[in-house]
Every structure is written in structure tokens, then in C-alpha cells.
Amino acid sequence: TIAWKLAFAEETDGVITTGIAVDSRHRLFVIESQTHHPPKGYQGPNGDRVKVFEDTDNDGNPDKVSVFAEGLYQGMNLAFSPEGILYMVCSREVFAFPELNDDGVFDEPVSVLT
């Protein structure tokens, strides 16, 4: 919806977004790229992160934003498997992010392709 787009643009202002995916709970997962061709003298974080936008009160606007994963390098895109596992394609590796305890934070990324 338009509200999701506006909230997404506001929360990622000044950061390159390289991938998005939506899970079965209608949460929006977004890669904030800090490492994809940063300009000389860039003062931002040293790694990429995946943020999650949630609409917990079903009003069409994300009211909860959290960091799902961080410290990644050259994240390019995201996708969910039919089983609900999040995959992240980076420039030289693909990671799976099993969420083992349903707390919204990945436990350990698993490299599935290099």
C-alpha cells in the first residue's frame, strides 16, 4: 500500500535499498545496504542490515521497525522459501536465516552457496 511505501521511504532515507521480501505474517523485510559502493569517506555502518517493518495494529501503517540481521556484506536481494526461511543473496554468497525461536531475530546465518 501507499502507507507502506511512505513509511519504508522515511525509515530508509539516505540508505541504498537493494532488496525486499514479505513473509507469511505480512512483515516487510528490507536490506539497508551500507557496503554497496559506499562513497569515499562514508561514515555509516561497516555492514549491511535487514530491517523488518510490521503493522501490529492492522491500520495499514508499519508501527514497529526492528533489525532482523546486521553485519552482512554487499546484500543484493531477499526471498522467502515456501517453508518460511529467509534467504539473502550477497555478491559472493547466499545465506539462509532460520528463525529458530520466533523472536524476530535470526539465530545464526547459514551459508548455502559461495
Side-chain angles (χ1 to χ4, degrees), residues 12-92:
T12 59
D13 191 31
V15 177
I16 297 171
T17 301
T18 57
I20 63 171
V22 178
D23 72 358
S24 62
R25 294 168 42 193
H26 306 286
R27 299 180 297 174
L28 179 68
F29 288 69
V30 177
I31 297 174
E32 281 189 350
S33 178
Q34 312 288 334
T35 60
H36 187 74
H37 302 293
K40 187 174 182 172
Y42 181 66
Q43 298 295 314
N46 293 327
D48 299 345
R49 62 185 178 174
V50 178
K51 289 176 81 175
V52 182
F53 296 80
E54 295 182 67
D55 177 11
T56 61
D57 59 8
N58 295 316
D59 68 353
N61 296 297
D63 45 54
K64 181 179 177 187
V65 180
S66 57
V67 175
F68 179 79
E70 58 187 334
L72 306 158
Y73 185 70
Q74 292 188 343
M76 299 171 68
N77 211 347
L78 299 169
F80 280 95
S81 72
E83 299 79 25
I85 297 171
L86 180 64
Y87 287 87
M88 181 175 179
V89 177
C90 296
S91 63
R92 297 175 189 223

